[in-house]
Amino acid sequence: MTSPFPAMTDSFTHVTCPKCGYEQNPSTAKKCEICGQALKKGNSLAPILLGAGALAFLGGLAGLGVIGYNTFFKPQAPTTPPGGTVVVPPGGGTSQTTPTNPPSTAPPTTAPTSPSPAGDVASALSWGDRVLFADNTNADLQAGVAAFASGDLATAVTRFQSARQALRNDPEPLIYLNNAKLGNTPALGIAAVVPANDTPNAARELLRGVAQAQDEAIQAGVPIKVMIADDRNDPNQAAAIANALVQNPDIVAVVGHGTSTATLAAAPIYQQGQLPMIAPTSTTTDLTTLTRQGSNMIFRVIPSDQFTGTTLARHMLSTGKSRPIVFYNSQSSYSQSLQTAFSTTLGLEGGQVASLVDLSQGNPAASLQGSGADAVVLIPDSATFDAAIAVAQANQGQIPIFAGDAFYRIETLEKGGNSLNGAILTVPWHPLRSTPPFAQTASSLWGGDVNWRTALSYDAFQALKTARSVGNVAPGSGTTGRTALASALGGQGFSAMGSTGAVTFLPSGDRNATVLLVQVQPGSRSGTGFDFVPLP
Protein backbone atom coordinates (compact mmCIF):
# COMPACT_ATOMS: atom_id res chain seq x y z
CA MET A 1 0.00 0.00 0.00
CA THR A 2 1.35 3.44 -0.93
CA SER A 3 2.09 5.67 2.04
CA PRO A 4 -0.11 8.80 2.32
CA PHE A 5 2.98 10.75 3.34
CA PRO A 6 5.81 11.81 1.02
CA ALA A 7 9.29 10.54 1.70
CA MET A 8 11.03 12.06 4.71
CA THR A 9 13.95 14.42 4.53
CA ASP A 10 16.95 12.55 5.92
CA SER A 11 20.39 13.44 7.12
CA PHE A 12 23.12 11.06 8.16
CA THR A 13 22.05 11.27 11.81
CA HIS A 14 18.45 12.54 11.85
CA VAL A 15 15.09 11.96 10.19
CA THR A 16 12.48 14.67 9.68
CA CYS A 17 8.89 13.74 10.53
CA PRO A 18 6.55 14.04 7.51
CA LYS A 19 3.63 15.11 9.72
CA CYS A 20 4.81 17.71 12.24
CA GLY A 21 8.14 18.54 10.59
CA TYR A 22 10.31 17.83 13.65
CA GLU A 23 13.87 17.54 12.34
CA GLN A 24 15.81 16.01 15.25
CA ASN A 25 14.51 12.42 15.30
CA PRO A 26 17.50 10.02 15.52
CA SER A 27 18.07 8.07 12.32
CA THR A 28 17.31 4.86 14.27
CA ALA A 29 13.95 6.13 15.58
CA LYS A 30 10.84 4.20 14.55
CA LYS A 31 8.42 6.98 15.42
CA CYS A 32 8.56 10.76 15.77
CA GLU A 33 9.62 11.93 19.22
CA ILE A 34 7.11 14.78 19.08
CA CYS A 35 3.91 13.48 17.50
CA GLY A 36 4.40 9.69 17.40
CA GLN A 37 4.12 9.39 13.61
CA ALA A 38 5.73 6.19 12.28
CA LEU A 39 9.04 6.96 10.59
CA LYS A 40 10.47 5.30 7.53
CA LYS A 41 13.66 6.57 6.00
CA GLY A 42 13.30 7.57 2.39
CA ASN A 43 15.70 8.48 -0.37
CA SER A 44 14.06 11.70 -1.36
CA LEU A 45 15.18 15.13 -0.23
CA ALA A 46 11.92 16.68 -1.42
CA PRO A 47 10.25 19.30 0.74
CA ILE A 48 7.96 17.96 3.41
CA LEU A 49 4.24 18.19 2.71
CA LEU A 50 1.35 17.45 5.01
CA GLY A 51 -0.92 14.71 3.70
CA ALA A 52 -4.38 13.59 4.61
CA GLY A 53 -2.89 11.11 7.06
CA ALA A 54 -1.77 14.00 9.27
CA LEU A 55 -5.34 14.99 9.91
CA ALA A 56 -6.38 11.44 10.60
CA PHE A 57 -3.53 10.98 13.07
CA LEU A 58 -4.54 14.07 15.05
CA GLY A 59 -7.78 12.36 16.00
CA GLY A 60 -9.91 13.54 13.14
CA LEU A 61 -9.51 17.24 13.79
CA ALA A 62 -12.00 19.08 11.69
CA GLY A 63 -10.57 20.96 8.73
CA LEU A 64 -10.78 24.67 8.50
CA GLY A 65 -14.25 25.93 7.86
CA VAL A 66 -12.97 28.85 5.83
CA ILE A 67 -13.34 27.74 2.23
CA GLY A 68 -14.38 30.82 0.35
CA TYR A 69 -12.27 33.94 0.36
CA ASN A 70 -13.10 37.49 -0.56
CA THR A 71 -12.01 38.29 -4.08
CA PHE A 72 -8.39 39.42 -4.21
CA PHE A 73 -7.79 42.60 -6.16
CA LYS A 74 -4.37 43.69 -7.28
CA PRO A 75 -3.34 46.61 -5.02
CA GLN A 76 -3.86 49.95 -6.67
CA ALA A 77 -2.16 53.21 -5.86
CA PRO A 78 -4.35 55.06 -3.38
CA THR A 79 -6.31 58.04 -4.56
CA THR A 80 -7.51 60.97 -2.53
CA PRO A 81 -11.02 60.25 -1.28
CA PRO A 82 -13.45 63.03 -0.51
CA GLY A 83 -12.50 64.31 2.90
CA GLY A 84 -9.60 61.84 3.15
CA THR A 85 -7.11 62.01 6.01
CA VAL A 86 -3.58 62.99 5.04
CA VAL A 87 -0.81 60.68 6.26
CA VAL A 88 2.75 59.89 5.25
CA PRO A 89 3.02 56.47 3.55
CA PRO A 90 5.95 54.15 4.31
CA GLY A 91 7.38 54.69 0.86
CA GLY A 92 7.90 58.38 1.56
CA GLY A 93 7.38 61.06 -1.06
CA THR A 94 4.41 63.40 -1.16
CA SER A 95 1.89 62.98 1.61
CA GLN A 96 -1.21 61.19 0.46
CA THR A 97 -4.35 59.69 1.86
CA THR A 98 -4.44 56.24 3.33
CA PRO A 99 -5.79 53.51 1.02
CA THR A 100 -8.35 52.70 3.72
CA ASN A 101 -10.23 55.99 3.32
CA PRO A 102 -10.40 57.10 6.96
CA PRO A 103 -12.93 59.69 8.09
CA SER A 104 -12.03 63.31 7.53
CA THR A 105 -12.34 64.45 11.11
CA ALA A 106 -9.30 64.18 13.37
CA PRO A 107 -9.51 62.18 16.60
CA PRO A 108 -10.73 64.17 19.61
CA THR A 109 -8.04 65.86 21.69
CA THR A 110 -9.71 65.50 25.09
CA ALA A 111 -11.59 62.21 24.98
CA PRO A 112 -10.63 58.63 24.14
CA THR A 113 -11.59 57.09 20.86
CA SER A 114 -14.33 54.49 20.79
CA PRO A 115 -13.83 50.93 19.56
CA SER A 116 -14.66 50.65 15.88
CA PRO A 117 -17.94 48.89 15.08
CA ALA A 118 -17.84 45.51 13.35
CA GLY A 119 -16.66 45.81 9.76
CA ASP A 120 -15.42 49.40 10.19
CA VAL A 121 -11.92 48.65 8.97
CA ALA A 122 -10.71 52.21 8.31
CA SER A 123 -11.06 53.29 11.94
CA ALA A 124 -9.30 50.11 13.08
CA LEU A 125 -6.04 50.96 11.27
CA SER A 126 -3.45 53.59 12.21
CA TRP A 127 0.04 54.68 11.21
CA GLY A 128 -0.29 57.40 13.85
CA ASP A 129 -3.35 59.27 12.60
CA ARG A 130 -5.74 57.90 15.25
CA VAL A 131 -5.58 56.35 18.74
CA LEU A 132 -6.72 52.74 18.61
CA PHE A 133 -6.93 51.90 22.32
CA ALA A 134 -10.23 53.21 23.65
CA ASP A 135 -8.91 53.29 27.22
CA ASN A 136 -6.19 55.82 26.38
CA THR A 137 -7.14 59.36 27.42
CA ASN A 138 -3.70 60.99 27.31
CA ALA A 139 -4.08 64.50 25.89
CA ASP A 140 -0.63 64.59 24.27
CA LEU A 141 -1.28 61.34 22.43
CA GLN A 142 -4.64 62.64 21.21
CA ALA A 143 -3.04 65.88 20.04
CA GLY A 144 -0.23 63.96 18.40
CA VAL A 145 -2.52 61.87 16.24
CA ALA A 146 -4.46 65.00 15.25
CA ALA A 147 -1.22 66.66 14.14
CA PHE A 148 -0.07 63.49 12.35
CA ALA A 149 -3.39 63.24 10.50
CA SER A 150 -3.10 66.85 9.32
CA GLY A 151 0.47 66.33 8.09
CA ASP A 152 2.10 68.45 10.81
CA LEU A 153 4.82 65.93 11.63
CA ALA A 154 6.94 68.30 13.71
CA THR A 155 4.10 68.87 16.15
CA ALA A 156 3.25 65.18 16.06
CA VAL A 157 6.81 64.25 17.08
CA THR A 158 6.75 66.73 19.98
CA ARG A 159 3.38 65.51 21.23
CA PHE A 160 4.24 61.81 20.84
CA GLN A 161 7.47 62.39 22.78
CA SER A 162 5.46 63.91 25.64
CA ALA A 163 3.00 61.03 25.51
CA ARG A 164 5.87 58.57 25.55
CA GLN A 165 7.27 60.16 28.72
CA ALA A 166 3.88 60.03 30.43
CA LEU A 167 3.03 56.50 29.22
CA ARG A 168 6.39 54.79 29.47
CA ASN A 169 5.05 51.24 29.26
CA ASP A 170 2.57 51.97 26.45
CA PRO A 171 3.89 50.94 23.00
CA GLU A 172 1.35 52.89 20.94
CA PRO A 173 3.03 56.31 21.44
CA LEU A 174 6.49 54.90 20.68
CA ILE A 175 5.34 53.32 17.40
CA TYR A 176 3.63 56.53 16.30
CA LEU A 177 6.66 58.57 17.38
CA ASN A 178 9.01 56.50 15.25
CA ASN A 179 6.61 56.65 12.28
CA ALA A 180 6.44 60.44 12.60
CA LYS A 181 10.22 60.77 12.91
CA LEU A 182 10.70 58.81 9.70
CA GLY A 183 8.40 61.27 7.95
CA ASN A 184 9.00 61.13 4.20
CA THR A 185 11.92 58.69 4.47
CA PRO A 186 11.27 55.65 2.24
CA ALA A 187 10.51 52.75 4.56
CA LEU A 188 9.05 49.27 4.56
CA GLY A 189 5.55 48.99 6.00
CA ILE A 190 4.65 46.22 8.44
CA ALA A 191 1.21 45.79 10.02
CA ALA A 192 0.85 44.62 13.62
CA VAL A 193 -2.63 43.21 14.23
CA VAL A 194 -3.72 42.89 17.86
CA PRO A 195 -6.98 42.69 19.88
CA ALA A 196 -6.65 46.28 21.12
CA ASN A 197 -10.20 46.72 22.35
CA ASP A 198 -10.90 43.13 23.37
CA THR A 199 -7.91 42.36 25.58
CA PRO A 200 -5.91 45.62 25.69
CA ASN A 201 -3.31 44.30 28.14
CA ALA A 202 -2.43 41.35 25.89
CA ALA A 203 -2.51 43.65 22.85
CA ARG A 204 -0.02 46.03 24.44
CA GLU A 205 2.20 43.11 25.41
CA LEU A 206 2.34 42.13 21.74
CA LEU A 207 2.95 45.68 20.57
CA ARG A 208 5.82 46.18 23.02
CA GLY A 209 7.83 43.56 21.14
CA VAL A 210 7.01 45.17 17.80
CA ALA A 211 7.79 48.67 19.08
CA GLN A 212 11.12 47.58 20.58
CA ALA A 213 12.17 45.81 17.39
CA GLN A 214 11.11 48.78 15.24
CA ASP A 215 13.04 51.16 17.50
CA GLU A 216 16.18 49.01 17.28
CA ALA A 217 15.83 48.66 13.50
CA ILE A 218 15.59 52.43 12.98
CA GLN A 219 18.57 53.03 15.25
CA ALA A 220 20.49 50.50 13.12
CA GLY A 221 19.62 52.42 9.95
CA VAL A 222 16.75 50.18 8.76
CA PRO A 223 13.65 52.39 8.30
CA ILE A 224 10.46 50.44 8.99
CA LYS A 225 7.05 51.96 9.65
CA VAL A 226 4.41 50.06 11.60
CA MET A 227 0.67 50.20 11.06
CA ILE A 228 -1.33 49.07 14.11
CA ALA A 229 -4.62 47.26 13.44
CA ASP A 230 -7.31 46.25 15.92
CA ASP A 231 -9.13 42.98 15.12
CA ARG A 232 -10.86 42.92 18.55
CA ASN A 233 -10.35 39.13 18.52
CA ASP A 234 -13.37 38.98 16.22
CA PRO A 235 -13.05 36.56 13.27
CA ASN A 236 -15.14 38.74 10.97
CA GLN A 237 -13.14 41.85 11.80
CA ALA A 238 -9.89 39.88 11.44
CA ALA A 239 -10.91 38.76 7.95
CA ALA A 240 -11.93 42.30 6.97
CA ILE A 241 -8.59 43.68 8.17
CA ALA A 242 -6.71 40.94 6.31
CA ASN A 243 -8.46 41.92 3.08
CA ALA A 244 -7.61 45.59 3.64
CA LEU A 245 -3.95 44.80 4.30
CA VAL A 246 -3.67 42.54 1.25
CA GLN A 247 -4.93 45.41 -0.91
CA ASN A 248 -2.63 48.01 0.67
CA PRO A 249 0.58 48.24 -1.41
CA ASP A 250 2.44 49.91 1.47
CA ILE A 251 2.21 46.74 3.61
CA VAL A 252 4.80 44.05 2.86
CA ALA A 253 4.17 41.77 5.85
CA VAL A 254 1.99 41.23 8.92
CA VAL A 255 2.83 40.41 12.53
CA GLY A 256 -0.35 38.93 13.98
CA HIS A 257 -2.94 38.08 14.85
CA GLY A 258 -3.16 37.90 18.64
CA THR A 259 -5.18 34.70 19.05
CA SER A 260 -5.65 31.43 17.20
CA THR A 261 -9.29 32.27 16.47
CA ALA A 262 -8.46 35.53 14.72
CA THR A 263 -5.40 34.07 13.01
CA LEU A 264 -7.38 31.20 11.49
CA ALA A 265 -9.93 33.66 10.11
CA ALA A 266 -7.26 35.84 8.50
CA ALA A 267 -4.60 33.35 7.41
CA PRO A 268 -6.42 31.99 4.30
CA ILE A 269 -6.80 35.56 3.04
CA TYR A 270 -3.11 36.32 3.50
CA GLN A 271 -2.22 33.05 1.79
CA GLN A 272 -4.49 33.71 -1.19
CA GLY A 273 -3.39 37.34 -1.38
CA GLN A 274 0.30 36.33 -1.06
CA LEU A 275 1.01 38.62 1.91
CA PRO A 276 3.47 37.11 4.44
CA MET A 277 2.13 36.71 7.97
CA ILE A 278 4.06 35.68 11.07
CA ALA A 279 1.84 34.71 13.99
CA PRO A 280 3.55 35.46 17.31
CA THR A 281 1.17 33.63 19.65
CA SER A 282 -1.16 31.39 17.61
CA THR A 283 -0.44 27.75 18.53
CA THR A 284 -3.34 25.78 17.03
CA THR A 285 -2.40 22.79 14.87
CA ASP A 286 -5.12 23.88 12.42
CA LEU A 287 -2.71 26.55 11.18
CA THR A 288 -0.26 23.85 10.11
CA THR A 289 -2.89 22.03 8.05
CA LEU A 290 -4.18 25.16 6.32
CA THR A 291 -4.33 24.69 2.55
CA ARG A 292 -1.53 26.51 0.80
CA GLN A 293 -1.48 27.38 -2.89
CA GLY A 294 1.58 29.05 -4.34
CA SER A 295 4.43 30.11 -2.07
CA ASN A 296 3.81 29.60 1.63
CA MET A 297 2.90 32.87 3.34
CA ILE A 298 1.95 31.58 6.80
CA PHE A 299 4.59 31.34 9.53
CA ARG A 300 4.67 31.44 13.31
CA VAL A 301 7.37 31.96 15.94
CA ILE A 302 5.64 30.14 18.80
CA PRO A 303 5.87 26.34 18.93
CA SER A 304 2.66 24.66 17.78
CA ASP A 305 0.31 22.88 20.16
CA GLN A 306 1.70 19.57 18.94
CA PHE A 307 5.10 20.40 20.45
CA THR A 308 3.59 21.93 23.61
CA GLY A 309 1.10 19.13 24.26
CA THR A 310 3.79 16.50 23.77
CA THR A 311 6.16 18.25 26.19
CA LEU A 312 3.45 18.61 28.86
CA ALA A 313 2.31 14.99 28.58
CA ARG A 314 5.82 13.59 28.72
CA HIS A 315 6.77 15.66 31.75
CA MET A 316 3.65 14.60 33.60
CA LEU A 317 4.38 10.94 32.85
CA SER A 318 7.94 11.43 34.08
CA THR A 319 6.56 12.45 37.49
CA GLY A 320 4.67 9.16 37.78
CA LYS A 321 1.23 10.60 36.96
CA SER A 322 -0.64 8.92 34.12
CA ARG A 323 -4.38 9.33 34.69
CA PRO A 324 -5.29 13.05 34.61
CA ILE A 325 -8.59 14.85 34.54
CA VAL A 326 -8.32 17.34 31.67
CA PHE A 327 -10.20 20.66 31.60
CA TYR A 328 -10.46 22.55 28.29
CA ASN A 329 -12.83 24.68 26.20
CA SER A 330 -14.40 22.75 23.34
CA GLN A 331 -15.38 26.05 21.67
CA SER A 332 -11.78 27.27 21.39
CA SER A 333 -9.54 26.23 18.52
CA TYR A 334 -6.45 26.77 20.69
CA SER A 335 -7.78 24.88 23.70
CA GLN A 336 -9.14 21.99 21.64
CA SER A 337 -5.92 21.74 19.64
CA LEU A 338 -3.68 21.60 22.72
CA GLN A 339 -5.98 19.13 24.45
CA THR A 340 -5.87 16.83 21.42
CA ALA A 341 -2.07 16.98 21.20
CA PHE A 342 -1.71 16.30 24.94
CA SER A 343 -4.21 13.44 25.01
CA THR A 344 -2.77 11.83 21.87
CA THR A 345 0.76 11.77 23.27
CA LEU A 346 -0.49 10.58 26.65
CA GLY A 347 -2.30 7.64 25.07
CA LEU A 348 0.61 6.73 22.83
CA GLU A 349 3.03 6.63 25.74
CA GLY A 350 1.09 4.63 28.31
CA GLY A 351 -1.25 7.10 30.00
CA GLN A 352 -5.00 7.56 29.87
CA VAL A 353 -7.31 10.55 30.34
CA ALA A 354 -9.53 9.79 33.34
CA SER A 355 -12.09 12.41 32.37
CA LEU A 356 -12.42 15.22 29.82
CA VAL A 357 -14.31 18.26 31.14
CA ASP A 358 -15.53 21.25 29.15
CA LEU A 359 -14.76 24.47 31.02
CA SER A 360 -17.46 26.33 29.08
CA GLN A 361 -20.27 24.15 30.42
CA GLY A 362 -21.94 24.12 33.86
CA ASN A 363 -19.76 23.86 36.97
CA PRO A 364 -16.58 22.17 35.80
CA ALA A 365 -14.92 22.28 39.24
CA ALA A 366 -17.55 19.83 40.52
CA SER A 367 -16.09 17.17 38.21
CA LEU A 368 -13.04 16.80 40.47
CA GLN A 369 -14.97 14.82 43.04
CA GLY A 370 -14.84 11.09 42.38
CA SER A 371 -12.85 11.46 39.15
CA GLY A 372 -10.22 8.90 40.17
CA ALA A 373 -7.58 11.14 38.58
CA ASP A 374 -4.01 11.44 39.82
CA ALA A 375 -3.42 14.86 38.24
CA VAL A 376 -5.28 17.96 37.01
CA VAL A 377 -4.52 19.35 33.56
CA LEU A 378 -5.79 22.87 32.84
CA ILE A 379 -5.99 23.96 29.19
CA PRO A 380 -8.26 27.01 29.17
CA ASP A 381 -8.43 29.84 26.67
CA SER A 382 -8.94 33.45 27.71
CA ALA A 383 -12.72 33.03 27.88
CA THR A 384 -12.53 30.12 30.35
CA PHE A 385 -9.50 31.28 32.35
CA ASP A 386 -11.54 32.13 35.46
CA ALA A 387 -13.30 28.76 35.33
CA ALA A 388 -9.88 27.06 35.26
CA ILE A 389 -8.76 29.12 38.28
CA ALA A 390 -11.91 27.94 40.10
CA VAL A 391 -10.90 24.33 39.37
CA ALA A 392 -7.45 24.94 40.86
CA GLN A 393 -9.00 26.48 43.95
CA ALA A 394 -11.44 23.58 44.35
CA ASN A 395 -8.57 21.10 44.06
CA GLN A 396 -7.01 22.58 47.23
CA GLY A 397 -3.62 21.09 46.39
CA GLN A 398 -4.86 17.50 46.66
CA ILE A 399 -3.39 16.34 43.33
CA PRO A 400 -0.68 18.03 41.21
CA ILE A 401 -1.64 20.56 38.55
CA PHE A 402 -0.23 20.84 35.03
CA ALA A 403 -1.27 23.62 32.66
CA GLY A 404 -0.88 24.99 29.15
CA ASP A 405 0.74 28.26 28.16
CA ALA A 406 -2.51 30.24 28.48
CA PHE A 407 -1.84 30.15 32.23
CA TYR A 408 1.45 31.99 31.75
CA ARG A 409 0.13 35.41 32.80
CA ILE A 410 0.24 37.59 35.87
CA GLU A 411 -3.46 36.99 36.56
CA THR A 412 -2.65 33.32 37.21
CA LEU A 413 -0.46 34.30 40.15
CA GLU A 414 -2.84 37.02 41.31
CA LYS A 415 -6.01 34.94 41.24
CA GLY A 416 -4.66 31.43 41.73
CA GLY A 417 -2.18 32.19 44.49
CA ASN A 418 -1.48 29.31 46.82
CA SER A 419 -3.93 27.01 45.01
CA LEU A 420 -1.42 26.83 42.14
CA ASN A 421 1.70 26.48 44.27
CA GLY A 422 3.80 23.77 42.62
CA ALA A 423 1.85 23.79 39.33
CA ILE A 424 3.86 23.04 36.18
CA LEU A 425 3.29 25.06 33.00
CA THR A 426 4.60 24.86 29.47
CA VAL A 427 5.82 28.25 28.23
CA PRO A 428 7.50 29.43 25.02
CA TRP A 429 9.80 31.92 26.78
CA HIS A 430 10.98 33.10 30.19
CA PRO A 431 13.11 36.19 30.99
CA LEU A 432 15.64 34.08 32.89
CA ARG A 433 16.14 31.96 29.76
CA SER A 434 16.18 34.87 27.32
CA THR A 435 18.89 35.63 24.79
CA PRO A 436 20.81 38.70 25.98
CA PRO A 437 20.45 41.60 25.69
CA PHE A 438 16.72 41.44 24.86
CA ALA A 439 15.34 41.19 28.39
CA GLN A 440 17.63 43.92 29.74
CA THR A 441 16.83 46.27 26.87
CA ALA A 442 13.12 45.60 27.23
CA SER A 443 13.18 46.24 30.96
CA SER A 444 14.93 49.56 30.41
CA LEU A 445 12.61 50.58 27.56
CA TRP A 446 9.35 49.72 29.31
CA GLY A 447 10.27 50.19 32.96
CA GLY A 448 9.84 46.58 34.04
CA ASP A 449 9.87 42.93 33.00
CA VAL A 450 8.10 41.90 29.81
CA ASN A 451 6.40 38.59 29.09
CA TRP A 452 6.31 35.93 26.40
CA ARG A 453 3.95 37.82 24.08
CA THR A 454 6.42 40.69 23.92
CA ALA A 455 9.32 38.32 23.33
CA LEU A 456 7.59 36.43 20.53
CA SER A 457 6.25 39.49 18.69
CA TYR A 458 9.82 40.81 18.87
CA ASP A 459 11.01 37.55 17.32
CA ALA A 460 8.43 37.84 14.52
CA PHE A 461 9.63 41.35 13.69
CA GLN A 462 13.27 40.28 13.85
CA ALA A 463 12.54 37.44 11.42
CA LEU A 464 11.00 39.91 8.96
CA LYS A 465 13.90 42.33 9.34
CA THR A 466 16.38 39.52 8.60
CA ALA A 467 14.28 38.32 5.65
CA ARG A 468 14.32 41.88 4.29
CA SER A 469 18.10 41.71 4.19
CA VAL A 470 18.25 38.17 2.78
CA GLY A 471 15.68 38.94 0.10
CA ASN A 472 17.03 42.42 -0.72
CA VAL A 473 13.57 43.90 -0.17
CA ALA A 474 13.51 47.66 -0.70
CA PRO A 475 10.80 50.19 0.26
CA GLY A 476 8.11 50.48 -2.38
CA SER A 477 8.73 46.97 -3.72
CA GLY A 478 5.07 46.00 -3.32
CA THR A 479 4.09 42.51 -4.43
CA THR A 480 7.64 41.67 -5.44
CA GLY A 481 8.84 42.53 -1.94
CA ARG A 482 6.17 40.35 -0.34
CA THR A 483 7.21 37.36 -2.42
CA ALA A 484 10.89 37.93 -1.65
CA LEU A 485 10.20 38.12 2.07
CA ALA A 486 8.23 34.87 2.07
CA SER A 487 10.90 33.11 0.00
CA ALA A 488 13.59 34.24 2.42
CA LEU A 489 11.62 33.13 5.49
CA GLY A 490 11.01 29.68 4.00
CA GLY A 491 14.44 29.31 2.48
CA GLN A 492 16.84 26.59 3.53
CA GLY A 493 19.28 27.83 6.13
CA PHE A 494 17.25 30.91 7.09
CA SER A 495 17.92 32.02 10.65
CA ALA A 496 17.23 35.20 12.59
CA MET A 497 18.39 36.01 16.10
CA GLY A 498 15.51 36.72 18.45
CA SER A 499 14.76 36.92 22.15
CA THR A 500 14.43 33.15 22.37
CA GLY A 501 17.52 32.34 20.34
CA ALA A 502 17.70 31.45 16.65
CA VAL A 503 14.41 31.73 14.76
CA THR A 504 14.16 29.04 12.08
CA PHE A 505 11.14 27.58 10.34
CA LEU A 506 10.05 24.10 9.33
CA PRO A 507 8.70 23.56 5.79
CA SER A 508 5.19 23.85 7.25
CA GLY A 509 5.91 27.41 8.44
CA ASP A 510 5.99 26.25 12.06
CA ARG A 511 8.93 27.34 14.15
CA ASN A 512 11.60 24.74 14.76
CA ALA A 513 11.90 25.17 18.52
CA THR A 514 11.29 23.60 21.90
CA VAL A 515 9.16 24.74 24.83
CA LEU A 516 10.15 25.47 28.43
CA LEU A 517 8.69 24.20 31.68
CA VAL A 518 8.15 26.53 34.64
CA GLN A 519 6.79 25.94 38.13
CA VAL A 520 4.72 28.23 40.33
CA GLN A 521 6.76 28.84 43.47
CA PRO A 522 6.70 31.38 46.32
CA GLY A 523 8.75 34.42 45.34
CA SER A 524 8.93 38.21 45.16
CA ARG A 525 9.76 38.90 41.49
CA SER A 526 6.15 39.32 40.30
CA GLY A 527 4.87 41.18 43.36
CA THR A 528 2.09 38.63 43.92
CA GLY A 529 3.89 36.40 46.39
CA PHE A 530 4.44 33.75 43.72
CA ASP A 531 6.64 33.51 40.63
CA PHE A 532 7.04 31.38 37.52
CA VAL A 533 10.41 29.68 37.99
CA PRO A 534 12.07 27.78 35.10
CA LEU A 535 12.77 24.10 35.74
CA PRO A 536 16.34 22.92 35.18
Side-chain angles (χ1 to χ4, degrees):
M1 177 178 174
T2 303
S3 169
F5 299 103
M8 285 158 241
T9 302
D10 305 338
S11 70
F12 290 110
T13 59
H14 296 95
V15 180
T16 298
C17 175
K19 183 182 75 63
C20 72
Y22 182 61
E23 297 178 329
Q24 298 301 314
N25 293 295
S27 58
T28 56
K30 294 183 178 180
K31 66 179 182 179
C32 177
E33 292 183 343
I34 294 298
C35 67
Q37 168 63 36
L39 300 179
K40 180 180 179 182
K41 292 198 72 174
N43 296 321
S44 172
L45 293 178
I48 302 163
L49 302 175
L50 292 172
L55 288 177
F57 176 82
L58 288 175
L61 284 175
L64 290 174
V66 181
I67 298 176
Y69 311 127
N70 293 338
T71 304
F72 169 58
F73 296 96
K74 182 177 179 180
Q76 302 293 327
T79 55
T80 304
T85 303
V86 179
V87 300
V88 181
T94 304
S95 297
Q96 55 184 287
T97 59
T98 59
T100 51
N101 190 18
S104 59
T105 56
T109 58
T110 58
T113 55
S114 299
S116 59
D120 184 5
V121 175
S123 61
L125 308 174
S126 177
W127 294 105
D129 51 307
R130 69 183 74 247
V131 179
L132 289 188
F133 286 82
D135 61 357
N136 203 327
T137 60
N138 180 269
D140 282 312
L141 183 59
Q142 299 289 342
V145 298
F148 190 104
S150 68
D152 183 359
L153 297 182
T155 298
V157 167
T158 299
R159 290 292 196 161
F160 288 148
Q161 286 174 330
S162 297
R164 167 73 182 139
Q165 292 174 359
L167 306 170
R168 183 179 177 186
N169 69 344
D170 191 334
E172 191 177 19
L174 181 56
I175 289 173
Y176 295 164
L177 173 61
N178 276 320
N179 287 349
K181 282 182 175 180
L182 286 173
N184 293 323
T185 302
L188 292 182
I190 293 177
V193 190
V194 297
N197 289 296
D198 175 66
T199 50
N201 287 340
R204 287 189 172 100
E205 288 166 358
L206 288 165
L207 287 179
R208 286 186 191 111
V210 171
Q212 180 176 340
Q214 180 198 23
D215 198 53
E216 292 176 1
I218 292 172
Q219 291 180 29
V222 181
I224 299 177
K225 291 185 179 180
V226 173
M227 171 190 279
I228 304 176
D230 175 23
D231 67 13
R232 301 191 319 276
N233 194 26
D234 178 282
N236 293 328
Q237 180 75 351
I241 284 175
N243 271 308
L245 297 180
V246 163
Q247 296 176 48
N248 186 335
D250 292 327
I251 300 296
V252 295
V254 176
V255 174
H257 293 221
T259 67
S260 289
T261 298
T263 301
L264 287 175
I269 299 169
Y270 294 132
Q271 180 62 41
Q272 172 129 337
Q274 293 289 281
L275 175 61
M277 176 204 81
I278 301 183
T281 55
S282 176
T283 61
T284 176
T285 55
D286 287 347
L287 196 62
T288 305
T289 59
L290 178 71
T291 299
R292 287 159 167 82
Q293 294 180 345
S295 300
N296 177 42
M297 295 286 152
I298 309 302
F299 302 85
R300 61 173 144 201
V301 290
I302 187 171
S304 78
D305 288 333
Q306 189 64 56
F307 286 70
T308 303
T310 295
T311 300
L312 189 63
R314 284 181 175 165
H315 180 77
M316 189 194 74
L317 288 169
S318 74
T319 67
K321 306 302 179 183
S322 61
R323 188 175 167 79
I325 178 171
V326 180
F327 295 85
Y328 80 116
N329 182 5
S330 65
Q331 306 304 309
S332 163
S333 174
Y334 154 75
S335 185
Q336 189 174 41
S337 171
L338 183 53
Q339 179 275 125
T340 299
F342 171 86
S343 299
T344 299
T345 300
L346 183 68
L348 285 171
E349 303 196 5
Q352 182 180 359
V353 174
S355 182
L356 197 59
V357 182
D358 193 340
L359 287 165
S360 66
Q361 303 296 321
N363 180 19
S367 301
L368 285 170
Q369 187 172 3
S371 67
D374 60 6
V376 173
V377 175
L378 301 175
I379 309 177
D381 63 342
S382 59
T384 54
F385 174 79
D386 287 339
I389 290 291
V391 170
Q393 293 169 337
N395 179 55
Q396 297 182 335
Q398 295 182 45
I399 54 178
I401 293 177
F402 301 84
D405 47 21
F407 250 39
Y408 189 39
R409 49 195 283 192
I410 190 66
E411 291 87 353
T412 297
L413 304 176
E414 293 173 339
K415 296 181 178 182
N418 194 55
S419 67
L420 286 169
N421 189 16
I424 301 294
L425 285 68
T426 52
V427 301
W429 177 86
H430 190 279
L432 297 180
R433 295 288 187 270
S434 178
T435 302
F438 167 77
Q440 295 89 339
T441 303
S443 180
S444 175
L445 186 64
W446 306 114
D449 285 347
V450 295
N451 74 359
W452 63 285
R453 291 187 182 89
T454 301
L456 291 171
S457 60
Y458 177 90
D459 283 4
F461 197 103
Q462 289 294 89
L464 289 172
K465 188 180 77 170
T466 300
R468 174 207 67 87
S469 178
V470 172
N472 295 314
V473 179
S477 55
T479 302
T480 302
R482 295 175 175 183
T483 302
L485 278 176
S487 297
L489 291 169
Q492 186 175 7
F494 175 83
S495 180
M497 184 52 64
S499 68
T500 52
V503 179
T504 62
F505 298 103
L506 299 169
S508 62
D510 287 342
R511 183 171 181 176
N512 187 15
T514 57
V515 296
L516 302 175
L517 291 167
V518 299
Q519 185 175 43
V520 177
Q521 298 178 7
S524 59
R525 186 181 180 92
S526 71
T528 66
F530 292 90
D531 291 331
F532 295 116
V533 180
L535 294 182

